[in-house]
């Protein structure tokens, strides 16, 4: 299995797609899409999955998100995504409802930068209950410390979902701000897309993700206790 990354033509295709986001242009350039996007992504994802399995010590599942956009509820009717996105999560963990997900690693390859993340964008109801209970009863110090360390390493915390702590959570609690989150993730932008070019791409990305491993394990522990 190759661990080779993408090539510069990947980013040229994404730039051109952004400038010509139509079905007609895409169909006329489908051979370039297969060569610059689909084929290297199909090789890159399993290589990255294997490296993340070594990092976490867990078997992982993965997916690559479709190039076609879901236009049903969007005012933006451009038909194609202008990025490559992947997600990796532990096998045997559940997706619940429309959005709730297990602790995952996320990768977004954009035309001019790389975005990577770790976390749950939305907790299931049982996990959300465990999370809020942990915050209130003393476990909040652990996750707050993890997040502080990650912010020092230039990771950004996902935006809170609520304007204030949910009903029943003490408003004056030291972790009331964290209680505003119905999911929790951290994100980092790599401004140079060369991070996914060539043979060192997988190792470089895993090195960037490595500081989030204790946070990922904390979230996984919440899910496995439900």
């Amino acid at each position: 299995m190759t661990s080779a990354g993408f090539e510069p033509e990947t980013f040229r295709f994404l730039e051109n797609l952004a400038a010509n986001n139509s079905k007609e242009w895409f169909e006329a350039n489908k051979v370039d899409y297969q060569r610059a996007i689909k084929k290297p992504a199909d090789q890159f994802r399993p290589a990255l999955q294997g490296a993340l399995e070594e990092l976490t010590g867990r078997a992982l599942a993965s997916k690559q998100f479709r190039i076609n956009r879901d236009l049903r509820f969007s005012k933006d009717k451009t038909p194609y995504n202008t990025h490559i996105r992947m997600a990796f999560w532990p096998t045997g963990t559940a997706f619940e409802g429309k959005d709730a997900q297990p602790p995952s690693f996320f990768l977004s390859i954009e035309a001019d930068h790389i975005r990577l993340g770790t976390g749950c964008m939305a907790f299931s109801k049982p996990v959300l209950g465990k999370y809020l209970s942990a915050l209130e009863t003393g476990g909040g110090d652990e996750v707050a410390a993890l997040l502080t360390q990650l912010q020092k390493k230039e990771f950004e915390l996902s935006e809170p979902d609520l304007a204030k702590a949910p009903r029943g959570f003490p408003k004056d609690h030291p972790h009331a701000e964290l209680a505003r989150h119905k999911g929790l993730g951290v994100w980092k932008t790599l401004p140079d897309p060369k991070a996914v070019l060539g043979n060192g791409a997988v190792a470089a990305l895993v090195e960037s993700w490595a500081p989030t491993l204790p946070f990922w394990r904390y979230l996984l522990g919440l899910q496995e206790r439900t």
Side-chain angles (χ1 to χ4, degrees):
M1 182 181 297
T2 181
S3 61
F6 294 86
E7 299 294 334
E9 65 177 339
T10 298
F11 301 98
R12 288 195 293 270
F13 184 90
L14 292 176
E15 290 173 352
N16 289 333
L17 178 59
N20 304 276
N21 200 332
S22 69
K23 185 175 181 181
E24 293 75 19
W25 184 90
F26 187 85
E27 290 298 323
N29 293 273
K30 203 163 188 177
V31 171
D32 292 339
Y33 163 73
Q34 294 286 337
R35 183 181 64 252
I37 304 293
K38 190 174 189 311
K39 184 177 179 180
D42 287 346
Q43 295 176 329
F44 189 71
R45 178 165 57 88
L48 185 54
Q49 178 178 325
L52 285 170
E53 287 177 337
E54 290 184 16
L55 175 71
T56 62
R58 295 285 297 252
L60 302 177
S62 66
K63 69 175 289 186
Q64 180 178 330
F65 294 85
R66 298 172 67 242
I67 190 79
N68 302 78
R69 296 183 62 245
D70 184 351
L71 305 180
R72 291 174 297 171
F73 308 108
S74 175
K75 292 181 180 180
D76 178 1
K77 297 303 180 183
T78 51
Y80 302 105
N81 290 309
T82 57
H83 49 248
I84 303 167
R85 288 188 176 164
M86 303 176 183
F88 306 83
W89 63 92
T91 58
T93 53
F95 286 78
E96 299 185 30
K98 180 181 178 182
D99 299 312
Q101 59 192 207
S104 303
F105 299 96
F106 303 98
L107 175 66
S108 182
I109 300 171
E110 314 280 344
D112 59 355
H113 68 277
I114 308 300
R115 185 86 165 156
L116 54 85
T118 301
C120 298
M121 297 305 101
F123 293 134
S124 66
K125 286 185 178 179
V127 173
L128 179 59
K130 290 285 186 182
Y131 169 69
L132 292 173
S133 177
L135 289 182
E136 188 173 356
T137 59
D141 291 346
E142 178 184 358
V143 68
L146 291 172
L147 292 171
T148 296
Q149 289 301 312
L150 288 171
Q151 288 170 321
K152 290 178 180 179
K153 296 180 182 295
E154 301 181 334
F155 284 88
E156 308 160 15
L157 180 61
S158 56
E159 291 293 322
D161 304 280
L162 303 174
K164 57 185 179 181
R167 182 179 300 177
F169 196 93
K171 292 186 173 66
D172 59 350
H173 194 281
H175 299 305
E177 285 298 305
L178 286 176
R180 295 169 56 200
H181 292 261
K182 298 173 72 174
L184 205 60
V186 293
W187 295 89
K188 187 171 189 177
T189 298
L190 306 179
D192 188 350
K194 291 179 181 177
V196 294
L197 294 181
N199 292 330
V202 167
L205 287 178
V206 171
E207 183 179 359
S208 295
W209 260 308
T212 71
L213 186 58
F215 172 64
W216 181 83
R217 286 175 172 157
Y218 171 87
L219 295 177
L220 189 62
L222 286 178
Q223 183 166 84
E224 293 180 338
R225 291 198 298 270
T226 58

